[in-house]
Amino acid sequence: MKIKVIITGGTIDKSYDMQNGKMHFVDSHVPAMLAEARCKADYELDKIMLKDSHDLTDSDRLEMFSCCVQADQNKIIITHGTDMMVETARFLAEKNIEKTIVLTGAMIPYVFEKTDSLFNLGTAFSAVQSMPVGVYIAMNGKVFNADNVVKNRQENVFEYLT
Amino acid sequence: MKIKVIITGGTIDKSYDMQNGKMHFVDSHVPAMLAEARCKADYELDKIMLKDSHDLTDSDRLEMFSCCVQADQNKIIITHGTDMMVETARFLAEKNIEKTIVLTGAMIPYVFEKTDSLFNLGTAFSAVQSMPVGVYIAMNGKVFNADNVVKNRQENVFEYLT
Amino acid sequence: MKIKVIITGGTIDKSYDMQNGKMHFVDSHVPAMLAEARCKADYELDKIMLKDSHDLTDSDRLEMFSCCVQADQNKIIITHGTDMMVETARFLAEKNIEKTIVLTGAMIPYVFEKTDSLFNLGTAFSAVQSMPVGVYIAMNGKVFNADNVVKNRQENVFEYLT
Amino acid sequence: MKIKVIITGGTIDKSYDMQNGKMHFVDSHVPAMLAEARCKADYELDKIMLKDSHDLTDSDRLEMFSCCVQADQNKIIITHGTDMMVETARFLAEKNIEKTIVLTGAMIPYVFEKTDSLFNLGTAFSAVQSMPVGVYIAMNGKVFNADNVVKNRQENVFEYLT
C-alpha cells in the first residue's frame, strides 16, 4: 500500500439522526466514497476516531501525528472536520514529518444529494501523490500549504492567508 | 484565470433521454459539478464540443490542440470520453505543448446517484495545479503520464502500461 | 385546481446549514420534489409556514384549519413535521371539515441522497384523490385514519393505534 | 402479507452498463426503493421477469395474469415499463380479476439522482390500498382507470383518454 488514509471524522462523515433531526457519527462513509469513485490507487484506510474537529484535543492530534509517523506509507491523507483543519495542519507541520500529508474534508456531508465531499477527496488523492514532503490542505479545488491557509468562516471556503 | 477547463463531452456529460431510454448530450454538467464541489480555483470553462470519444475525428483533436495552445492559461483540464482518452492524450503529448494538460472524465455519468465524476474532476483540478509540463490522465484516483496508460476495457479502469 | 398542497415545514423541508452543521429551513423543497416526480395532478401550492412540528402553536393549527376551510379545493395535502403530525391530524379531525385532508412528511429530509420524502408525497397525492371525506396520515406506505395512528418514536415509524 | 408486488422490469429497474454506455437490467431496484421509502406496508415481492415493455409477449402478459390470479393477495402492484403499460393494463382489465391491480413504473430509472420512481411507487402503494376492484395505472401523480388512460409519447406523460 502506498497511501494511508487516516479517518478522523468531521462533516464529511456525518449521518442524519432521525431520532432528533441532528447530524451525528454512525460510521465513516470514506470506504463507500472510494468505491463510488472507482478509486484504484493503492491505499489503506485507518479509522482512528470519528470526531467533530471542535472536539479534538491535543491528545487526538498527537495520535494523528503518531499515526503519520508510524505508517509504512510516505503519502498520507487525513479526513478531518473543516473548522479546526488549519489548526491540525499547522500542528503536524511543526513536527516536520518527512512525508506528504494532505488534509481534506467537506462543507456538506457525503450523505446529502449535493456535496463537495467526493470532489475534495479526489483532490486529496491527486495531491498526496504529486506534492513534495510537507503538510497541505486540499479544499475548494485548491491545495494549500499548511502555513498559508485560513478558513473564511463567513463564506465557508478556505483561502490563502497572504 | 489560471486554469482552462476544455469541455469535449464523453460519459461524464451524458443525460438520460426519456424518449428512447438512451443516454445523450443535452448540455455540459461541468458547471453544476464545480458549483456542487464548491470549487474556488481560478478557472475558466470552454465548451468546444459534446461528443462521444468514439466519434472524435482528427479534426476534433486538432481543435483541442489549438484550444490548448491558444489558451491564456498554462494549466489545462480537458473533460473527455474514456474510450479514446488515451488516444487524445498521446496525440496532444506528441505536440510537445509547454503546458500542463490533464484529461479526465467518468465511467458513470454525473446524473446518476452514484458516479465517479466528481471525484475524477477533483483529481484533475489538483493534478493540473501540481504536475510539471506534460500531458496526463487523471482517472481512478491516479495521475498517469500520457505515454504510460491504457484503458482496461474488461475492468473499465485505467492502468499503467508498464 | 383540484388539490391544495399546504406547506407547513417539518423534516421534509429542512436544508443543511454549513455555518453550524445543523438542519434548518431555507425554503420549501416541495416544488422541486413535484417537478422531479413529474407530477401532473391538478394542484396548487400554498406555503403558510416553515416550522418544526414541535414549534407549532394552537394558533398555527387554527391557521391550517382556516386554510383548509377557505380553500377552493376539497382535496387537501398538508406537508408537516412528523413529531406532532398525529396531534395536528386529530385537531383537524375534530373540526369535521367536509374535505379529504391528508398529512404527510418525511423521516429524512429531501436533500439527502436517500430519503423517504418522495415516496411519502406520492402516497399522499394518491390518497387525497381516492379517500372519502376525513383526515388521514400517509406515511410508511400506509394511509391511517387520524383517530387510529401513533408515531412510534423508538422505531420512527407510524403505526395503527389498535 | 396483504399486498403483492409483481416486478416485471421497465425503465424503473434499469441500471447503467459501463461497457457500452447503455441502460440494461442487472437486478430489480424495488427492494432498495422500499427500504429507502421506509415502507412498512405488509407486502411481498415477486420478481417474475425483467423486461422492456416493448419486448413483452402475450405469453408474458398471461404470466402476469396468472400471477395476479394465483396470488394470495387481493391487492396487487405491478412494476412495468411505461411504453406498453396501457396495453398490459387493458389486457388484465379484460380478464375481470376480482382484485385491485395497480401498474406503475418510471420515466427515469431509480439509479439517477433525479427520478420519478419513488414518487410513483408511493402513489401505487396508496392506490392499491384504497381503490376498489379494478385495474389502474398510477403515474404522474394520478390514478387512471385502465380503460381511460393513454401515454402521450411526445410529452412522456400519462393522460386521460376522454
Side-chain angles (χ1 to χ4, degrees), chain B residues 11 16 18-19 21 23 107-109 111-113 153-154 156, chain D residues 11 16 18-19 21 23 107-109 111-113 153-154 156:
Chain B
T11 293
Y16 186 71
M18 278 187 291
Q19 211 63 39
M23 304 302 298
M107 291 309 305
I108 301 176
V111 290
F112 283 77
E113 190 174 83
R153 294 178 198 282
Q154 277 68 53
N156 287 306
Chain D
T11 292
Y16 185 71
M18 278 187 291
Q19 209 64 39
M23 304 302 298
M107 291 309 304
I108 300 177
V111 290
F112 283 77
E113 190 174 83
R153 294 178 198 281
Q154 276 68 52
N156 288 306

PDB file of all heavy atoms in Angstrom, chain B residues 11 16 18-19 21 23 107-109 111-113 153-154 156, chain D residues 11 16 18-19 21 23 107-109 111-113 153-154 156:
ATOM      1  N   THR B  11     -18.787  10.440 -21.417  1.00  0.00           N
ATOM      2  CA  THR B  11     -19.771   9.880 -20.480  1.00  0.00           C
ATOM      3  C   THR B  11     -20.143  10.848 -19.363  1.00  0.00           C
ATOM      4  O   THR B  11     -21.312  10.952 -18.976  1.00  0.00           O
ATOM      5  CB  THR B  11     -19.207   8.583 -19.872  1.00  0.00           C
ATOM      6  OG1 THR B  11     -19.112   7.603 -20.918  1.00  0.00           O
ATOM      7  CG2 THR B  11     -20.082   8.044 -18.759  1.00  0.00           C
ATOM      8  N   TYR B  16     -30.047  11.545 -19.587  1.00  0.00           N
ATOM      9  CA  TYR B  16     -30.983  10.483 -19.948  1.00  0.00           C
ATOM     10  C   TYR B  16     -32.029  11.014 -20.915  1.00  0.00           C
ATOM     11  O   TYR B  16     -32.616  12.075 -20.679  1.00  0.00           O
ATOM     12  CB  TYR B  16     -31.665   9.947 -18.690  1.00  0.00           C
ATOM     13  CG  TYR B  16     -32.545   8.754 -18.946  1.00  0.00           C
ATOM     14  CD1 TYR B  16     -31.993   7.520 -19.263  1.00  0.00           C
ATOM     15  CD2 TYR B  16     -33.936   8.852 -18.879  1.00  0.00           C
ATOM     16  CE1 TYR B  16     -32.795   6.420 -19.502  1.00  0.00           C
ATOM     17  CE2 TYR B  16     -34.745   7.757 -19.103  1.00  0.00           C
ATOM     18  CZ  TYR B  16     -34.165   6.542 -19.418  1.00  0.00           C
ATOM     19  OH  TYR B  16     -34.970   5.451 -19.656  1.00  0.00           O
ATOM     20  N   MET B  18     -35.552  10.446 -22.153  1.00  0.00           N
ATOM     21  CA  MET B  18     -36.801   9.734 -21.844  1.00  0.00           C
ATOM     22  C   MET B  18     -37.470   9.179 -23.095  1.00  0.00           C
ATOM     23  O   MET B  18     -38.251   8.239 -23.026  1.00  0.00           O
ATOM     24  CB  MET B  18     -37.791  10.685 -21.176  1.00  0.00           C
ATOM     25  CG  MET B  18     -37.550  10.840 -19.704  1.00  0.00           C
ATOM     26  SD  MET B  18     -38.883  11.807 -18.971  1.00  0.00           S
ATOM     27  CE  MET B  18     -38.544  13.408 -19.689  1.00  0.00           C
ATOM     28  N   GLN B  19     -37.194   9.822 -24.193  1.00  0.00           N
ATOM     29  CA  GLN B  19     -37.879   9.445 -25.432  1.00  0.00           C
ATOM     30  C   GLN B  19     -37.515   8.021 -25.878  1.00  0.00           C
ATOM     31  O   GLN B  19     -38.347   7.289 -26.397  1.00  0.00           O
ATOM     32  CB  GLN B  19     -37.510  10.456 -26.538  1.00  0.00           C
ATOM     33  CG  GLN B  19     -38.582  10.677 -27.574  1.00  0.00           C
ATOM     34  CD  GLN B  19     -39.851  11.264 -26.985  1.00  0.00           C
ATOM     35  OE1 GLN B  19     -39.805  12.117 -26.111  1.00  0.00           O
ATOM     36  NE2 GLN B  19     -40.994  10.769 -27.445  1.00  0.00           N
ATOM     37  N   GLY B  21     -34.904   6.071 -23.893  1.00  0.00           N
ATOM     38  CA  GLY B  21     -34.214   5.314 -22.850  1.00  0.00           C
ATOM     39  C   GLY B  21     -32.709   5.228 -23.023  1.00  0.00           C
ATOM     40  O   GLY B  21     -32.056   4.409 -22.378  1.00  0.00           O
ATOM     41  N   MET B  23     -28.758   7.273 -23.393  1.00  0.00           N
ATOM     42  CA  MET B  23     -28.003   8.416 -22.886  1.00  0.00           C
ATOM     43  C   MET B  23     -27.630   9.296 -24.081  1.00  0.00           C
ATOM     44  O   MET B  23     -27.231   8.794 -25.133  1.00  0.00           O
ATOM     45  CB  MET B  23     -26.734   7.941 -22.174  1.00  0.00           C
ATOM     46  CG  MET B  23     -26.973   6.941 -21.031  1.00  0.00           C
ATOM     47  SD  MET B  23     -28.072   7.525 -19.699  1.00  0.00           S
ATOM     48  CE  MET B  23     -27.152   8.928 -19.078  1.00  0.00           C
ATOM     49  N   MET B 107     -16.619   7.043 -15.753  1.00  0.00           N
ATOM     50  CA  MET B 107     -17.184   5.780 -16.222  1.00  0.00           C
ATOM     51  C   MET B 107     -18.706   5.811 -16.098  1.00  0.00           C
ATOM     52  O   MET B 107     -19.403   5.071 -16.776  1.00  0.00           O
ATOM     53  CB  MET B 107     -16.625   4.605 -15.416  1.00  0.00           C
ATOM     54  CG  MET B 107     -15.155   4.331 -15.662  1.00  0.00           C
ATOM     55  SD  MET B 107     -14.710   4.180 -17.425  1.00  0.00           S
ATOM     56  CE  MET B 107     -15.866   2.898 -17.937  1.00  0.00           C
ATOM     57  N   ILE B 108     -19.214   6.633 -15.184  1.00  0.00           N
ATOM     58  CA  ILE B 108     -20.653   6.724 -14.919  1.00  0.00           C
ATOM     59  C   ILE B 108     -21.032   8.207 -14.947  1.00  0.00           C
ATOM     60  O   ILE B 108     -20.414   9.018 -14.266  1.00  0.00           O
ATOM     61  CB  ILE B 108     -20.991   6.095 -13.547  1.00  0.00           C
ATOM     62  CG1 ILE B 108     -20.557   4.620 -13.554  1.00  0.00           C
ATOM     63  CG2 ILE B 108     -22.476   6.243 -13.222  1.00  0.00           C
ATOM     64  CD1 ILE B 108     -20.749   3.906 -12.247  1.00  0.00           C
ATOM     65  N   PRO B 109     -22.032   8.568 -15.753  1.00  0.00           N
ATOM     66  CA  PRO B 109     -22.381   9.986 -15.917  1.00  0.00           C
ATOM     67  C   PRO B 109     -22.712  10.674 -14.585  1.00  0.00           C
ATOM     68  O   PRO B 109     -23.214  10.042 -13.651  1.00  0.00           O
ATOM     69  CB  PRO B 109     -23.619   9.938 -16.828  1.00  0.00           C
ATOM     70  CG  PRO B 109     -23.489   8.656 -17.588  1.00  0.00           C
ATOM     71  CD  PRO B 109     -22.879   7.697 -16.596  1.00  0.00           C
ATOM     72  N   VAL B 111     -25.156  12.469 -13.831  1.00  0.00           N
ATOM     73  CA  VAL B 111     -26.577  12.491 -13.468  1.00  0.00           C
ATOM     74  C   VAL B 111     -27.039  11.264 -12.686  1.00  0.00           C
ATOM     75  O   VAL B 111     -28.178  11.220 -12.227  1.00  0.00           O
ATOM     76  CB  VAL B 111     -27.480  12.663 -14.715  1.00  0.00           C
ATOM     77  CG1 VAL B 111     -27.329  14.070 -15.277  1.00  0.00           C
ATOM     78  CG2 VAL B 111     -27.169  11.614 -15.770  1.00  0.00           C
ATOM     79  N   PHE B 112     -26.178  10.263 -12.528  1.00  0.00           N
ATOM     80  CA  PHE B 112     -26.543   9.108 -11.719  1.00  0.00           C
ATOM     81  C   PHE B 112     -26.304   9.404 -10.241  1.00  0.00           C
ATOM     82  O   PHE B 112     -25.480  10.244  -9.883  1.00  0.00           O
ATOM     83  CB  PHE B 112     -25.724   7.879 -12.133  1.00  0.00           C
ATOM     84  CG  PHE B 112     -26.217   7.253 -13.406  1.00  0.00           C
ATOM     85  CD1 PHE B 112     -25.922   7.823 -14.637  1.00  0.00           C
ATOM     86  CD2 PHE B 112     -27.009   6.119 -13.372  1.00  0.00           C
ATOM     87  CE1 PHE B 112     -26.395   7.263 -15.815  1.00  0.00           C
ATOM     88  CE2 PHE B 112     -27.475   5.551 -14.541  1.00  0.00           C
ATOM     89  CZ  PHE B 112     -27.176   6.128 -15.769  1.00  0.00           C
ATOM     90  N   GLU B 113     -27.054   8.682  -9.401  1.00  0.00           N
ATOM     91  CA  GLU B 113     -26.902   8.881  -7.958  1.00  0.00           C
ATOM     92  C   GLU B 113     -25.485   8.522  -7.519  1.00  0.00           C
ATOM     93  O   GLU B 113     -24.898   9.210  -6.694  1.00  0.00           O
ATOM     94  CB  GLU B 113     -27.930   8.012  -7.221  1.00  0.00           C
ATOM     95  CG  GLU B 113     -28.017   8.308  -5.755  1.00  0.00           C
ATOM     96  CD  GLU B 113     -29.134   7.542  -5.079  1.00  0.00           C
ATOM     97  OE1 GLU B 113     -28.929   6.354  -4.722  1.00  0.00           O
ATOM     98  OE2 GLU B 113     -30.211   8.099  -4.900  1.00  0.00           O
ATOM     99  N   ARG B 153     -10.454  -2.416 -20.874  1.00  0.00           N
ATOM    100  CA  ARG B 153     -11.860  -2.375 -21.279  1.00  0.00           C
ATOM    101  C   ARG B 153     -12.707  -3.489 -20.665  1.00  0.00           C
ATOM    102  O   ARG B 153     -13.932  -3.460 -20.738  1.00  0.00           O
ATOM    103  CB  ARG B 153     -11.962  -2.408 -22.814  1.00  0.00           C
ATOM    104  CG  ARG B 153     -11.381  -1.156 -23.448  1.00  0.00           C
ATOM    105  CD  ARG B 153     -11.426  -1.178 -24.967  1.00  0.00           C
ATOM    106  NE  ARG B 153     -10.511  -0.196 -25.518  1.00  0.00           N
ATOM    107  CZ  ARG B 153     -10.744   1.120 -25.585  1.00  0.00           C
ATOM    108  NH1 ARG B 153     -11.883   1.598 -25.136  1.00  0.00           N
ATOM    109  NH2 ARG B 153      -9.845   1.931 -26.094  1.00  0.00           N
ATOM    110  N   GLN B 154     -12.067  -4.483 -20.089  1.00  0.00           N
ATOM    111  CA  GLN B 154     -12.836  -5.518 -19.377  1.00  0.00           C
ATOM    112  C   GLN B 154     -13.233  -4.990 -17.999  1.00  0.00           C
ATOM    113  O   GLN B 154     -14.370  -5.115 -17.573  1.00  0.00           O
ATOM    114  CB  GLN B 154     -12.001  -6.804 -19.208  1.00  0.00           C
ATOM    115  CG  GLN B 154     -12.032  -7.716 -20.431  1.00  0.00           C
ATOM    116  CD  GLN B 154     -11.310  -7.089 -21.619  1.00  0.00           C
ATOM    117  OE1 GLN B 154     -10.156  -6.677 -21.520  1.00  0.00           O
ATOM    118  NE2 GLN B 154     -12.002  -6.977 -22.758  1.00  0.00           N
ATOM    119  N   ASN B 156     -12.898  -1.790 -17.045  1.00  0.00           N
ATOM    120  CA  ASN B 156     -13.298  -0.388 -17.096  1.00  0.00           C
ATOM    121  C   ASN B 156     -12.513   0.475 -16.106  1.00  0.00           C
ATOM    122  O   ASN B 156     -13.063   1.332 -15.423  1.00  0.00           O
ATOM    123  CB  ASN B 156     -14.804  -0.250 -16.869  1.00  0.00           C
ATOM    124  CG  ASN B 156     -15.587  -0.722 -18.075  1.00  0.00           C
ATOM    125  OD1 ASN B 156     -15.353  -0.263 -19.193  1.00  0.00           O
ATOM    126  ND2 ASN B 156     -16.495  -1.658 -17.862  1.00  0.00           N
TER     127      ASN B 156
ATOM    128  N   THR D  11     -38.319   0.743 -17.276  1.00  0.00           N
ATOM    129  CA  THR D  11     -37.324   1.795 -17.021  1.00  0.00           C
ATOM    130  C   THR D  11     -36.949   1.899 -15.550  1.00  0.00           C
ATOM    131  O   THR D  11     -35.788   2.103 -15.204  1.00  0.00           O
ATOM    132  CB  THR D  11     -37.896   3.145 -17.508  1.00  0.00           C
ATOM    133  OG1 THR D  11     -37.979   3.092 -18.933  1.00  0.00           O
ATOM    134  CG2 THR D  11     -37.017   4.307 -17.114  1.00  0.00           C
ATOM    135  N   TYR D  16     -27.047   1.234 -15.300  1.00  0.00           N
ATOM    136  CA  TYR D  16     -26.123   1.732 -16.316  1.00  0.00           C
ATOM    137  C   TYR D  16     -25.084   0.669 -16.627  1.00  0.00           C
ATOM    138  O   TYR D  16     -24.496   0.066 -15.724  1.00  0.00           O
ATOM    139  CB  TYR D  16     -25.433   3.000 -15.825  1.00  0.00           C
ATOM    140  CG  TYR D  16     -24.553   3.663 -16.858  1.00  0.00           C
ATOM    141  CD1 TYR D  16     -25.111   4.301 -17.953  1.00  0.00           C
ATOM    142  CD2 TYR D  16     -23.171   3.626 -16.753  1.00  0.00           C
ATOM    143  CE1 TYR D  16     -24.315   4.915 -18.909  1.00  0.00           C
ATOM    144  CE2 TYR D  16     -22.364   4.234 -17.695  1.00  0.00           C
ATOM    145  CZ  TYR D  16     -22.945   4.875 -18.773  1.00  0.00           C
ATOM    146  OH  TYR D  16     -22.154   5.472 -19.718  1.00  0.00           O
ATOM    147  N   MET D  18     -21.584   0.177 -17.942  1.00  0.00           N
ATOM    148  CA  MET D  18     -20.330   0.887 -18.246  1.00  0.00           C
ATOM    149  C   MET D  18     -19.671   0.368 -19.516  1.00  0.00           C
ATOM    150  O   MET D  18     -18.896   1.078 -20.148  1.00  0.00           O
ATOM    151  CB  MET D  18     -19.335   0.680 -17.105  1.00  0.00           C
ATOM    152  CG  MET D  18     -19.554   1.618 -15.944  1.00  0.00           C
ATOM    153  SD  MET D  18     -18.225   1.444 -14.739  1.00  0.00           S
ATOM    154  CE  MET D  18     -18.594  -0.199 -14.105  1.00  0.00           C
ATOM    155  N   GLN D  19     -19.966  -0.856 -19.856  1.00  0.00           N
ATOM    156  CA  GLN D  19     -19.293  -1.481 -21.003  1.00  0.00           C
ATOM    157  C   GLN D  19     -19.667  -0.788 -22.313  1.00  0.00           C
ATOM    158  O   GLN D  19     -18.844  -0.651 -23.205  1.00  0.00           O
ATOM    159  CB  GLN D  19     -19.670  -2.971 -21.036  1.00  0.00           C
ATOM    160  CG  GLN D  19     -18.618  -3.864 -21.637  1.00  0.00           C
ATOM    161  CD  GLN D  19     -17.333  -3.878 -20.820  1.00  0.00           C
ATOM    162  OE1 GLN D  19     -17.363  -3.871 -19.594  1.00  0.00           O
ATOM    163  NE2 GLN D  19     -16.194  -3.858 -21.489  1.00  0.00           N
ATOM    164  N   GLY D  21     -22.265   2.010 -22.277  1.00  0.00           N
ATOM    165  CA  GLY D  21     -22.940   3.287 -22.065  1.00  0.00           C
ATOM    166  C   GLY D  21     -24.444   3.229 -22.246  1.00  0.00           C
ATOM    167  O   GLY D  21     -25.100   4.268 -22.347  1.00  0.00           O
ATOM    168  N   MET D  23     -28.408   1.554 -21.007  1.00  0.00           N
ATOM    169  CA  MET D  23     -29.141   1.111 -19.827  1.00  0.00           C
ATOM    170  C   MET D  23     -29.519  -0.361 -20.040  1.00  0.00           C
ATOM    171  O   MET D  23     -29.938  -0.750 -21.131  1.00  0.00           O
ATOM    172  CB  MET D  23     -30.410   1.949 -19.648  1.00  0.00           C
ATOM    173  CG  MET D  23     -30.164   3.466 -19.561  1.00  0.00           C
ATOM    174  SD  MET D  23     -29.052   3.996 -18.231  1.00  0.00           S
ATOM    175  CE  MET D  23     -29.955   3.449 -16.772  1.00  0.00           C
ATOM    176  N   MET D 107     -40.474   7.159 -15.665  1.00  0.00           N
ATOM    177  CA  MET D 107     -39.916   7.711 -16.899  1.00  0.00           C
ATOM    178  C   MET D 107     -38.397   7.783 -16.809  1.00  0.00           C
ATOM    179  O   MET D 107     -37.709   7.801 -17.815  1.00  0.00           O
ATOM    180  CB  MET D 107     -40.472   9.115 -17.167  1.00  0.00           C
ATOM    181  CG  MET D 107     -41.950   9.155 -17.527  1.00  0.00           C
ATOM    182  SD  MET D 107     -42.410   8.006 -18.855  1.00  0.00           S
ATOM    183  CE  MET D 107     -41.273   8.543 -20.142  1.00  0.00           C
ATOM    184  N   ILE D 108     -37.885   7.849 -15.577  1.00  0.00           N
ATOM    185  CA  ILE D 108     -36.440   7.968 -15.353  1.00  0.00           C
ATOM    186  C   ILE D 108     -36.041   6.911 -14.326  1.00  0.00           C
ATOM    187  O   ILE D 108     -36.650   6.824 -13.256  1.00  0.00           O
ATOM    188  CB  ILE D 108     -36.094   9.388 -14.841  1.00  0.00           C
ATOM    189  CG1 ILE D 108     -36.524  10.418 -15.901  1.00  0.00           C
ATOM    190  CG2 ILE D 108     -34.603   9.514 -14.524  1.00  0.00           C
ATOM    191  CD1 ILE D 108     -36.312  11.851 -15.498  1.00  0.00           C
ATOM    192  N   PRO D 109     -35.049   6.077 -14.645  1.00  0.00           N
ATOM    193  CA  PRO D 109     -34.696   4.966 -13.752  1.00  0.00           C
ATOM    194  C   PRO D 109     -34.343   5.416 -12.341  1.00  0.00           C
ATOM    195  O   PRO D 109     -33.858   6.531 -12.128  1.00  0.00           O
ATOM    196  CB  PRO D 109     -33.466   4.337 -14.438  1.00  0.00           C
ATOM    197  CG  PRO D 109     -33.583   4.711 -15.886  1.00  0.00           C
ATOM    198  CD  PRO D 109     -34.208   6.091 -15.879  1.00  0.00           C
ATOM    199  N   VAL D 111     -31.887   4.695 -10.566  1.00  0.00           N
ATOM    200  CA  VAL D 111     -30.462   4.932 -10.300  1.00  0.00           C
ATOM    201  C   VAL D 111     -29.999   6.350 -10.627  1.00  0.00           C
ATOM    202  O   VAL D 111     -28.847   6.701 -10.349  1.00  0.00           O
ATOM    203  CB  VAL D 111     -29.570   3.922 -11.057  1.00  0.00           C
ATOM    204  CG1 VAL D 111     -29.721   2.532 -10.458  1.00  0.00           C
ATOM    205  CG2 VAL D 111     -29.891   3.912 -12.546  1.00  0.00           C
ATOM    206  N   PHE D 112     -30.860   7.167 -11.209  1.00  0.00           N
ATOM    207  CA  PHE D 112     -30.493   8.555 -11.466  1.00  0.00           C
ATOM    208  C   PHE D 112     -30.704   9.398 -10.204  1.00  0.00           C
ATOM    209  O   PHE D 112     -31.535   9.060  -9.356  1.00  0.00           O
ATOM    210  CB  PHE D 112     -31.328   9.129 -12.626  1.00  0.00           C
ATOM    211  CG  PHE D 112     -30.847   8.660 -13.978  1.00  0.00           C
ATOM    212  CD1 PHE D 112     -31.143   7.390 -14.432  1.00  0.00           C
ATOM    213  CD2 PHE D 112     -30.060   9.479 -14.772  1.00  0.00           C
ATOM    214  CE1 PHE D 112     -30.679   6.938 -15.667  1.00  0.00           C
ATOM    215  CE2 PHE D 112     -29.594   9.045 -16.002  1.00  0.00           C
ATOM    216  CZ  PHE D 112     -29.905   7.770 -16.455  1.00  0.00           C
ATOM    217  N   GLU D 113     -29.965  10.512 -10.149  1.00  0.00           N
ATOM    218  CA  GLU D 113     -30.098  11.396  -8.990  1.00  0.00           C
ATOM    219  C   GLU D 113     -31.516  11.969  -8.917  1.00  0.00           C
ATOM    220  O   GLU D 113     -32.101  12.066  -7.846  1.00  0.00           O
ATOM    221  CB  GLU D 113     -29.074  12.529  -9.096  1.00  0.00           C
ATOM    222  CG  GLU D 113     -28.961  13.343  -7.859  1.00  0.00           C
ATOM    223  CD  GLU D 113     -27.837  14.359  -7.946  1.00  0.00           C
ATOM    224  OE1 GLU D 113     -28.047  15.452  -8.527  1.00  0.00           O
ATOM    225  OE2 GLU D 113     -26.750  14.082  -7.442  1.00  0.00           O
ATOM    226  N   ARG D 153     -46.777  10.188 -25.935  1.00  0.00           N
ATOM    227  CA  ARG D 153     -45.369   9.865 -26.195  1.00  0.00           C
ATOM    228  C   ARG D 153     -44.529  11.087 -26.571  1.00  0.00           C
ATOM    229  O   ARG D 153     -43.303  11.010 -26.609  1.00  0.00           O
ATOM    230  CB  ARG D 153     -45.268   8.789 -27.287  1.00  0.00           C
ATOM    231  CG  ARG D 153     -45.852   7.460 -26.844  1.00  0.00           C
ATOM    232  CD  ARG D 153     -45.818   6.389 -27.911  1.00  0.00           C
ATOM    233  NE  ARG D 153     -46.739   5.307 -27.595  1.00  0.00           N
ATOM    234  CZ  ARG D 153     -46.482   4.338 -26.719  1.00  0.00           C
ATOM    235  NH1 ARG D 153     -45.333   4.300 -26.088  1.00  0.00           N
ATOM    236  NH2 ARG D 153     -47.389   3.407 -26.477  1.00  0.00           N
ATOM    237  N   GLN D 154     -45.182  12.194 -26.861  1.00  0.00           N
ATOM    238  CA  GLN D 154     -44.413  13.421 -27.102  1.00  0.00           C
ATOM    239  C   GLN D 154     -43.998  14.033 -25.760  1.00  0.00           C
ATOM    240  O   GLN D 154     -42.860  14.410 -25.567  1.00  0.00           O
ATOM    241  CB  GLN D 154     -45.258  14.453 -27.883  1.00  0.00           C
ATOM    242  CG  GLN D 154     -45.234  14.232 -29.393  1.00  0.00           C
ATOM    243  CD  GLN D 154     -45.951  12.947 -29.780  1.00  0.00           C
ATOM    244  OE1 GLN D 154     -47.094  12.711 -29.392  1.00  0.00           O
ATOM    245  NE2 GLN D 154     -45.282  12.067 -30.517  1.00  0.00           N
ATOM    246  N   ASN D 156     -44.267  12.468 -22.821  1.00  0.00           N
ATOM    247  CA  ASN D 156     -43.870  11.442 -21.857  1.00  0.00           C
ATOM    248  C   ASN D 156     -44.646  11.537 -20.545  1.00  0.00           C
ATOM    249  O   ASN D 156     -44.081  11.419 -19.460  1.00  0.00           O
ATOM    250  CB  ASN D 156     -42.362  11.490 -21.614  1.00  0.00           C
ATOM    251  CG  ASN D 156     -41.588  10.965 -22.801  1.00  0.00           C
ATOM    252  OD1 ASN D 156     -41.832   9.848 -23.250  1.00  0.00           O
ATOM    253  ND2 ASN D 156     -40.693  11.775 -23.337  1.00  0.00           N
TER     254      ASN D 156
END
